Structure formats: structure tokens, C-alpha cells
Amino acid sequence: MHLDPVSFRSKLVSTETRAGGAAVTQALVTTKLRAPRTRPNLVARPRLRDALARDEGRRLTLVSAPAGFGKTTLLAEWLGDYEEGQKSVAWVSLDESDNDPARFLTYLVGALQEIEEGIGEGVLASLRSPQPPHVEAVVGSLVNDLAEVPHEITVVLDDYHLIHSDPVHEAVSFLLEHLPDNVRLVISGRTDPPLPLPRLRARDQMAELRAADLRFTPEEATAFLGDVMGLTLSSGEVATLEGVTEGWVAALQLAALSMQDREDVSGFVESFSGSNRHVLDFLAEEVLERQPREVREFLLSTSVLERMSAPLCDALTGRSDGQERLERLDRENLFVVALDDERRWYRYHHLFADFLRGRLRRESPEQIGESHLRAASWYEREGWASEAVEHALAAGDAERTARLVEYYAQPLLLRGEVATVERWLAALPAGLVRSRPRLSLARAIWALIGGRVDEVEPLLTDAERALADQPHEPPVDETAGVLANVPGKVAQLRAELARMRGDAERAIGFAQQALAHAGEGDWYLRYLSRGNLAEAPLMQGRLGEAEHALADLVRDPWASGRNRYFAVRGCYTLSQAQRGQGRLGAALETCQEALELATEADQPPLSAAGLAHVGLAEILREQNKLDAALEHATEGVALCRQLGYAEPLVTSLTVLAWVRQARGDQAGALEAISEAERVLPSLEVVVDLIFPVAVQRARLLLAQGEVSAAARWAAARGLGVEDEPSYPREREHLVLARVLLAEGKPEQALRLLERLLAAAEAAGRTGSVIEILALQALALWAGNRKEPAVTTLTRALALAEPEGYVRTFADEETATGDLLSMTLEVRRRRPPAATDRVSAPYLARLQAALAQGRARPDAEIRLPEPLSGRELEVLALIAAGRSNQEIANKLFVSTSTVKTHVNNLYRKLDARSRIQAVARAREMGLL
């Protein structure tokens, strides 16, 4: 439970994380979320705006042309009119940093929240995690939110050619494939993006504007040169310029700037026309040379910036007239674009910026590094992490970059921008990274979260070695995050490694070391270390002790306040301790409390709510409330996918497998357990208590009649009847006992079960006692010792009835039926005083559960073809009264997919309505 992100909720435009006492801001976010401001005297281009308007019914509009063809200007102008019609536009101006999937999705949600408050909160919650969540789960959640918006939305992704990240392309492709009818996507860039464009063209779901469409016509060129640029030219001169530039907007603008204040305009046009092979460079050179010296210096000095503000420009130029310079450039139409309404932030036109940077490299290469360093210093003072590091990297200052990355790695990891941090670390010399303890520590945290367990210890050793080489460790600031306290965090990570390997003693030792290093204000480290200490007795089977420690942990104000993720996770672990003691009711209340903690009024739940749903599904399945269990298990898996952590996702898939098995969906059960196997982080991590995949697959194989396969697994694990009982391997030994029973070896099973029972009773693990007694009763029955079998089963039932246990008995349906029938017969023969420990209604419930399980194979035979696992899930949600849209939301699929499943159900069940389908399913024992 100890490597998960700090959860926080705040508006995107004001998101900040503390690092080293400074606020780390989502830099320039408001300028990226607004279309550049258009000028009032633009050339009217109704033909293009009409074309855009005609294609509004299509899913995608692609505007693809080289730089300088006015793509962004056209879209900004068109969407300005669009907004006047009360339609909503979400705009994202992309840059290189958006190749980080978490950053890209954060900005996309931020743009949508500008027009629809609260949309995508679940996505933001899932992104606040160092481990990248599954793209389909995150974007699927966003699609569901979009479908709920009652009006039309246009989403614009500008400068998409800067994106080269496969995960981002996958996210956009998934979004395109599942866009609801009320949403349209517009992508603008210099090249065609690697998206499913041919499929969209074939479906007539895509509109395109290209360079040939965007070129100025002769009429538009005349209007631009005369009305916008204020030149008086003959029709012949306009035709010449239009012909040479081929209607290229940027080239026409540069030509116009070159001609302003010239006396011999005709001579310029004549000399320019016809033969210049480098039109753009020629024109840009002309424009730059015609500027006053101070303007040229300003343009070159600030050309290294992606975006400019007056204070930032002043930092680079050493002057104090940045605002005046920017306003003049804007006023004179000198290739700057205003990025906000207040005209505080600008950028150069991309082509002009490229030209200026090339000129700076030729004339003053030494100034480039200095300008980048000044920009890095300014961004660092302002708390903009990404920009500070990027400029330090561009300056080639590895030491400064390493210091900044070290300073900012923690908050960016917690914000989910893992790809960004990894790129920074990869750009630094490996020796330099190893020489800085906090950088090695950041890599170790990421490796452990990502399941690369074998990489962690060497990185921790690097961190310790680097720390020993430093004369003094910098003082720990309580706001500096978990990377501040290197010795404490190294010990805590080693405790986490030991916990994942099932080594409780080492986990305790390292957790105590971490606490010894923790200061009073080091809340993060203290809480995680206390968590390891609380879980250690749970791993050892001392459940009562674990329950008390976990209850204290859950009540900790640090967790139950702004860090509710940890409280929710603690509640789930606490419920496991309560379940192990046989107290299903207490565990149910704890999981319900966790669900309340994870949900705020009028807000989507935290992704951590998945753990609460999983806990509820486990308990409800045991009580044979299978419809509700399936609903919670399905929701739990979907939310745990968003977390992106192996441990909760493995647990949720395992629970879903057993819910499906209880409902008779054997294929669906194996599908879920197979996915859980694929999610396992490392072959080195095999502890059943943490990742219970192998043992649960063996149990499923047994439940489905694959005795030989389960027996091979038990042999491979080295399990034997004479093994010393231990709580970490208890579930494995119970599978062995079942294998022995299935192989007709009840006496061997009894020898093993007797020792397991003694250990469980001594530790007060009533949940284990009930299961062991049930298996003992079956072993006695198989050995033809019927009276002791009835007595043993009655003892198990007496413990189980108050908490509503059902599946512990019903899952062993092959042998339990006859034994239970005899138990009922004995109850009828004996006086009530001797048998009133187990009620008749409870025994009837168990019999009904067994009968329900036996009915399912016949139902499958009577169907023309069996129902798939997904169809059974849809059927259960239909029976619960859910609409198609609600089912789509629950399962993270489109409504059209749900309709397909519903139609399949009607066909297979020979039904014409939902009511009829549910009735027939109940008749067949499918519900």
C-alpha cells in the first residue's frame, strides 16, 4: 500500500505541487488552452469557413499543410464564430512536452473543463499516479463523461505534428474510435498524424483541408496586401507576388513587410520575382535587416523561447522594456502571436522563430547557451518545473539540469509525468545520475512501482554510495517530498521490497530504520513506514494485532484529510484482516467507509475507490449476492485499471474471476485470471498474500475439473502433506488438500488439514477455521466417516451463519450436497436443543446456492450457444435495472457495443424485451 500517489483535487489551471519549499506550477497552462487571438483586419476567407461548417457532422476534421499556410489563424477565426453560436470549443496548443501521455491527457481534460466544469475529474485522479494507467481505461472514462454533456463540443489539437509518442497516438486513436455523437475532433499540423485516417475516410467520417485549399487566391492576396498590409500595388505586381509565393501566406506577409517604407516597390517586386530558390529565407533576411538595431537584438535574444512574456524577455535581454517591445511587434504585425486576451503572453510564428534561431546560431552561437540559462533561472524562480529543466538541458549545463531534475522529480512523478522525468534522466550522463543520491532514488521508486523489482536494489545501493561521497546531506525540509530524506526513503523502499517478497521480519526491520530517520514533519515517510509495520503482522497471520494497527493508520488525519488515497487503501487492507477473522459484517462496513472516503459530493470517485468496490465484491460473493458482487467487481477492475498499479489490479481481476466462476462463467473466470497473470510485475514477486494469482488459478482449475493440472502445480510448488503450516502459504496448502480429495486421498488431506486447523485456531483466524472445517468435513465424508463429517460441518456452519457465509460451502458443490442433505436429516431427527446452533433457513439458503450451481450447466446446454462472459455481465446489469448508457459507463464501452450485446442476449435467450430476457435467464439459472 505504500508507493501510491498523494491524491489531491484542484482546478487544472491552478494545479501546483510542493517541492523543496517551492510551488511547482503547471506552466503556462492557460495559454495552451486558448486559441491564439485573431486580428480584427484579417482577410475574409468565407470559402474555407464554409467548408469547415459543411463538415461539422464528421468525426474528424484534419487541417494538414506545411508551416506558414495559416492553419491556426483559420481555425481560431472559424471557432470565434463558432463560439458566438453558443457551441463549446476545447482548444489545446501542443508542444514537445505533450509527448508525455499524462501531460497530454491533463491538458486535454483542462481544455474540456474550461467549457464544462467537472468533466474528466476521474481521469485526472487516475493520472495522479507514477505508474501510467491503461490508455483505454483512462480515455474510456473521458468518453463516458463527454457522452453525458448535453451540448455539442469541438476539440481542437493544434500543432499535432509535434507529437511523436506512441501512447499519445494510441489515446487519440481510441478517442476517435469511440467519440460520442456530440463531439467533433479537429487536428491541425504540418504532417498527417499516424491515426486510423484510411478507416475514417472509408466511413466518410473525416474532412480534410490541405495546402492547396489554404493558399491565398489572387483575390485574397490582393485583399491581404492592400487592406491588411497597407500596400498600394498594381494588379500585375500582386499577380507576380502571388505567383512566386504560390499563395503561401507566410511568404506573402514577409514580402509585404520587406516592401513597407520602400520607395521603389516595383523594383523590389521585379528583382524578387521569378528566380529566388530560397524565398522564405530571403524575405526573412530582408525583414530583419530593415529593423532598428535594438529590435534585431531583441528578436535574436528571445528567439530561444517557445513563449514570451515581458518579465521573461527582460530576464533574457537585461532590459526593462519587454512589454513595450512585445506590444510594438504585435502592433506592427511582425510575426508574433498573442496567446491570451490580456496580451501578456506571445509566441513567434514558427517559421520566423526557426529563421531567427538559425541566424542566432550563425552570428552569436555563444549567446544561445546564455539565453537558455537565463530562461531556466527565470522559470525556476517562478516555479515552472518543465520549462526550467528544458532550458537547462538546451543550454548543455548537465550539473544545473541534474540539480533541477533532482528538485522537481518527486512532484512530477506524483503528478504522473513519468515519461518527462525519464526523458530528463536519459538526457543526463549515467555517471552524473549515479553520483546524485536523489536521482538514483527517483529511479528506484519508478522501478519498484513499474514492477522491475530486480532493478531496485542496485539503484538504492547507488543512492547510498552517492550519499556517502557527499560531505553533508542537505537539511531535510518537510515540504521537500519523499526524495528529501535519502536514508529514510532507502530504508522504506527496502521495507516495501521485503513486504512484496513476503519477508515480514525484514519489512519490520527496514520500516523501523525508516522511522528512525523520519523527522516530525516527514509525514509521507512516517505514514508509509507505519503502513509496513501495520501489514507485517497481517503477513504473519496475527490478524487481531494487524487490525488494531491498521485501524489507527486509517484514522490518521494526514491520510483521511487531503491524502485520502492512503486511507482508502488502508481500509481495504483492514477489511482483509477482519475477513480473516471471520467478521464479514465488520469488513463490509469498512469497505463501505472506504467507498465514502473515495467519493465526494458531486465529484467522480477517486480511482482508489476501485479497492473499496473490490472489497465489497469479495464479501458479497461470499454471501452469494452475485449480482451485486459482479457490479462491484466490474467497477473495481475498471477503477483499478486507472490506478495503473500492479498490486490492486491483480487483486481486482482475481476477485472478478471468482465472481464469474460463482455465476457459472468458467471461460470468463479464466479470462480474468489470465489477465491478472499478464499484469504480474516480476517472476521474483510470487508471494500469494500480495499477488494471489498462481494459487487462485490452481483453485479455479480444480473447480472446473482440471485435477491433473492443479496437481502438477502443487508438485511444482513443492507442497507436501508434512509441510509446517504457515499463514503466508495457507492458501497453497488448502489447494493441496483439495487436490488430495479430488485424487481420492482423504486421509492424507485430513493429516494436512488437522495441522492447518490447529494453527488457525491458535491465531484466532476464524475465516480460515470455517474453510478448513468445511474441507475436513468433506474429507471425513469421502472416508465414509459420516457422523464425524456431519459434526464437523455443523461446527463450521455454526461459525459461518452469523456472518452469512455461503460460497465457502457452495464452491465445493460436487461433494457438499450429499453431506448437507445428511446434516439436514440429522437436524430433523435430533432434539432442537442439540441442533439449534444452525438454523433451518440458513441450511435452506445453502441448499439453494448448491442447486443454483448445478442448474447452470443444463442451462448452457439448453441455449443455442453459450453466453460470453461480457454478455453475462450485461445481463446482470440489465437485471439490476441499468439503462444502456449506465451499462456502457460501468463497463467502459460505447452504447453501440452495449446494444450489440443486448441483441445477442435476445437472440440466444429467444427474448424480445429486457423483461423477457431476464425472466428466461432466471428460469435457466443464469441469474
Side-chain angles (χ1 to χ4, degrees), residues 216-223 238 242:
F216 271 171
T217 64
E219 295 77 18
E220 290 168 342
T222 299
V238 171
E242 197 274 334

Side-chain angles (χ1 to χ4, degrees), residues 352-369:
F352 194 53
D354 289 343
F355 165 77
L356 292 174
R357 289 165 190 158
R359 179 71 173 265
L360 184 62
R361 280 193 297 272
R362 292 196 305 272
E363 291 187 357
S364 305
E366 72 287 347
Q367 187 179 344
I368 297 174

Side-chain angles (χ1 to χ4, degrees), residues 262-593:
R262 279 185 181 272
E263 293 183 2
D264 186 11
V265 170
S266 297
F268 173 84
V269 172
E270 183 179 349
S271 65
F272 171 65
S273 63
S275 61
N276 197 299
R277 295 172 52 201
H278 305 288
V279 173
L280 200 64
D281 283 348
F282 170 75
L283 292 175
E285 190 82 24
E286 282 285 313
V287 170
L288 188 64
E289 289 303 322
R290 293 179 63 78
Q291 302 305 313
R293 180 181 58 81
E294 312 87 60
V295 175
R296 288 200 306 273
E297 291 176 354
F298 180 88
L299 291 169
L300 292 174
S301 297
T302 57
S303 64
V304 301
L305 300 173
E306 293 292 333
R307 297 174 182 84
M308 303 174 291
S309 69
L312 177 55
C313 291
D314 289 343
L316 267 66
T317 63
R319 301 170 61 96
S320 58
D321 57 354
Q323 188 65 40
E324 177 185 340
R325 295 287 181 198
L326 289 171
E327 289 177 359
R328 178 179 180 271
L329 295 176
D330 186 23
R331 189 168 54 250
E332 296 182 1
N333 200 19
L334 195 58
F335 280 85
V336 295
V337 180
L339 297 176
D340 54 27
D341 294 328
E342 297 80 18
R343 281 174 158 66
R344 296 170 55 195
W345 285 94
Y346 296 82
R347 68 167 172 83
Y348 290 120
H349 187 288
H350 297 311
L351 279 174
F352 194 53
D354 289 343
F355 165 77
L356 292 174
R357 289 165 190 158
R359 179 71 173 265
L360 184 62
R361 280 193 297 272
R362 292 196 305 272
E363 291 187 357
S364 305
E366 72 287 347
Q367 187 179 344
I368 297 174
E370 179 60 29
S371 294
H372 279 299
L373 285 177
R374 291 186 179 188
S377 297
W378 187 87
Y379 278 120
E380 182 181 359
R381 288 195 302 272
E382 297 298 318
W384 278 312
S386 296
E387 285 71 15
V389 176
E390 296 293 351
H391 279 288
L393 274 174
D397 190 332
E399 285 289 341
R400 185 186 189 115
T401 303
R403 178 180 63 78
L404 288 170
V405 173
E406 187 177 68
Y407 188 76
Y408 287 127
Q410 165 70 14
L412 290 184
L413 283 173
L414 292 182
R415 208 162 64 202
E417 295 185 26
V418 177
T420 297
V421 177
E422 284 193 309
R423 178 169 56 82
W424 292 344
L425 290 171
L428 292 171
L432 180 60
V433 173
R434 285 196 299 271
S435 72
R436 303 187 76 97
R438 291 183 178 86
L439 293 186
S440 292
L441 197 53
R443 292 181 61 201
I445 293 172
W446 171 233
L448 187 58
I449 289 170
R452 303 189 304 279
V453 180
D454 55 334
E455 297 179 18
V456 177
E457 184 58 42
L459 290 167
L460 295 179
T461 301
D462 284 344
E464 288 181 317
R465 186 183 298 115
L467 186 64
D469 291 341
Q470 294 182 352
H472 300 288
E473 183 190 5
V476 176
D477 185 330
E478 68 180 56
T479 62
V482 300
L483 294 185
N485 189 333
V486 175
K489 188 59 184 176
V490 167
Q492 189 268 318
L493 288 175
R494 286 191 170 129
E496 186 69 21
L497 271 177
R499 182 188 73 85
M500 294 177 73
R501 291 168 174 152
D503 190 340
E505 292 298 329
R506 285 174 63 83
I508 291 171
F510 284 125
Q512 289 172 338
Q513 286 182 29
L515 280 175
H517 286 291
E520 284 298 319
D522 204 346
W523 298 107
Y524 193 93
L525 181 59
R526 292 175 67 84
Y527 188 89
L528 300 187
S529 301
R530 287 175 56 210
N532 274 319
L533 290 174
E535 284 200 33
L538 180 64
M539 297 164 60
Q540 296 170 323
R542 295 181 282 118
L543 305 188
E545 181 182 336
E547 180 180 4
H548 290 302
L550 288 163
D552 287 342
L553 204 65
V554 167
R555 289 192 294 267
D556 189 304
W558 183 85
S560 58
R562 59 181 297 216
N563 300 293
R564 289 175 296 121
Y565 178 93
F566 293 107
V568 174
R569 187 67 187 260
C571 280
Y572 174 76
T573 311
L574 173 59
S575 75
Q576 300 306 293
Q578 293 165 333
R579 280 192 68 210
Q581 296 173 79
R583 293 163 47 224
L584 297 186
L588 190 69
E589 290 181 5
T590 299
C591 290
Q592 288 169 337
E593 177 188 346

Side-chain angles (χ1 to χ4, degrees), residues 62-249:
L62 176 65
V63 183
S64 180
F69 275 86
K71 298 181 294 294
T72 300
T73 301
L74 171 66
L75 290 177
E77 182 186 10
W78 168 59
L79 293 174
D81 296 340
Y82 196 53
E83 290 177 299
E84 290 175 9
Q86 303 304 308
K87 294 181 181 179
S88 300
V89 178
W91 180 289
V92 184
S93 293
L94 299 169
D95 55 41
E96 287 283 352
S97 66
D98 296 313
N99 282 286
D100 187 315
R103 189 175 176 92
F104 171 82
L105 289 169
T106 299
Y107 275 121
L108 177 58
V109 171
L112 291 166
Q113 288 189 344
E114 291 276 298
I115 60 175
E116 188 71 23
E117 185 175 356
I119 195 170
E121 281 294 332
V123 173
L124 291 181
S126 69
L127 293 175
R128 292 164 191 150
S129 160
Q131 173 80 357
H134 292 263
V135 166
E136 290 189 7
V138 176
V139 182
S141 174
L142 183 59
V143 167
N144 291 335
D145 285 356
L146 288 169
E148 295 295 324
V149 176
H151 52 79
E152 294 180 5
I153 295 176
T154 295
V155 178
V156 180
L157 301 178
D158 193 29
D159 287 334
Y160 195 86
H161 59 275
L162 296 172
I163 299 300
H164 48 75
S165 162
D166 286 340
V168 175
H169 294 318
E170 290 170 13
V172 177
S173 296
F174 187 88
L175 179 64
L176 269 171
E177 286 293 314
H178 299 86
L179 271 184
D181 293 338
N182 62 317
V183 182
R184 176 190 189 183
L185 185 61
V186 178
I187 291 179
S188 172
R190 298 180 186 179
T191 58
D192 284 6
L195 302 174
L197 303 183
R199 185 159 63 245
L200 292 169
R201 286 192 191 100
R203 296 174 181 172
D204 196 28
Q205 294 176 337
M206 173 178 160
E208 301 175 72
L209 285 179
R210 299 192 171 274
D213 305 300
L214 295 171
R215 297 183 193 280
F216 271 171
T217 64
E219 295 77 18
E220 290 168 342
T222 299
F224 173 75
L225 293 168
D227 300 340
V228 177
M229 301 305 296
L231 296 173
T232 303
L233 302 175
S234 68
S235 58
E237 290 167 339
V238 171
T240 297
L241 289 173
E242 197 274 334
V244 172
T245 62
E246 297 182 333
W248 190 1
V249 180

Side-chain angles (χ1 to χ4, degrees), residues 540-544 580-582 725-727 730 734 750 752-774 776 791-799 837:
Q540 296 170 323
R542 295 181 282 118
L543 305 188
Q581 296 173 79
S726 70
Y727 181 65
E730 182 180 80
L734 289 174
L750 279 171
L752 174 60
L753 291 168
E754 284 169 4
R755 292 204 313 283
L756 293 175
L757 179 62
E761 287 180 325
R765 299 195 300 269
T766 304
S768 297
V769 169
I770 293 170
E771 184 176 357
I772 295 167
L773 286 172
Q776 271 190 331
T791 301
T792 302
L793 181 62
T794 301
R795 182 182 168 200
L797 295 173
L799 292 171
R837 290 186 303 162

Side-chain angles (χ1 to χ4, degrees), residues 625-637:
K625 299 172 182 176
L626 298 184
D627 288 352
L630 179 62
E631 184 173 340
H632 282 291
T634 304
E635 183 76 3
V637 168

Side-chain angles (χ1 to χ4, degrees), residues 503-720:
D503 190 340
E505 292 298 329
R506 285 174 63 83
I508 291 171
F510 284 125
Q512 289 172 338
Q513 286 182 29
L515 280 175
H517 286 291
E520 284 298 319
D522 204 346
W523 298 107
Y524 193 93
L525 181 59
R526 292 175 67 84
Y527 188 89
L528 300 187
S529 301
R530 287 175 56 210
N532 274 319
L533 290 174
E535 284 200 33
L538 180 64
M539 297 164 60
Q540 296 170 323
R542 295 181 282 118
L543 305 188
E545 181 182 336
E547 180 180 4
H548 290 302
L550 288 163
D552 287 342
L553 204 65
V554 167
R555 289 192 294 267
D556 189 304
W558 183 85
S560 58
R562 59 181 297 216
N563 300 293
R564 289 175 296 121
Y565 178 93
F566 293 107
V568 174
R569 187 67 187 260
C571 280
Y572 174 76
T573 311
L574 173 59
S575 75
Q576 300 306 293
Q578 293 165 333
R579 280 192 68 210
Q581 296 173 79
R583 293 163 47 224
L584 297 186
L588 190 69
E589 290 181 5
T590 299
C591 290
Q592 288 169 337
E593 177 188 346
L595 199 56
E596 292 173 3
L597 276 170
T599 308
E600 291 182 4
D602 301 323
Q603 294 289 339
L606 296 175
S607 298
L611 290 166
H613 284 292
V614 169
L616 289 169
E618 289 179 285
I619 299 160
L620 294 168
R621 183 191 102 65
E622 177 58 52
Q623 295 175 336
N624 208 38
K625 299 172 182 176
L626 298 184
D627 288 352
L630 179 62
E631 184 173 340
H632 282 291
T634 304
E635 183 76 3
V637 168
L639 288 169
C640 286
R641 286 190 204 282
Q642 294 181 18
L643 281 172
Y645 286 91
E647 189 174 331
L649 183 55
V650 165
T651 301
S652 66
L653 287 165
T654 304
V655 171
L656 178 61
W658 276 103
V659 173
R660 288 175 172 175
Q661 176 69 21
R663 294 173 56 82
D665 180 11
Q666 295 188 352
L670 289 177
E671 178 189 344
I673 207 73
S674 295
E675 183 181 350
E677 286 177 326
R678 293 193 294 272
V679 174
L680 279 176
S682 168
L683 292 176
E684 183 183 349
V685 182
V686 293
V687 181
D688 170 60
L689 283 172
I690 309 300
F691 296 103
V693 179
V695 68
Q696 295 296 357
R697 173 178 275 280
R699 271 204 69 189
L700 280 172
L701 291 172
L702 271 174
Q704 298 183 11
E706 300 287 342
V707 178
S708 59
R712 287 194 299 271
W713 171 84
R717 293 289 293 153
L719 298 172

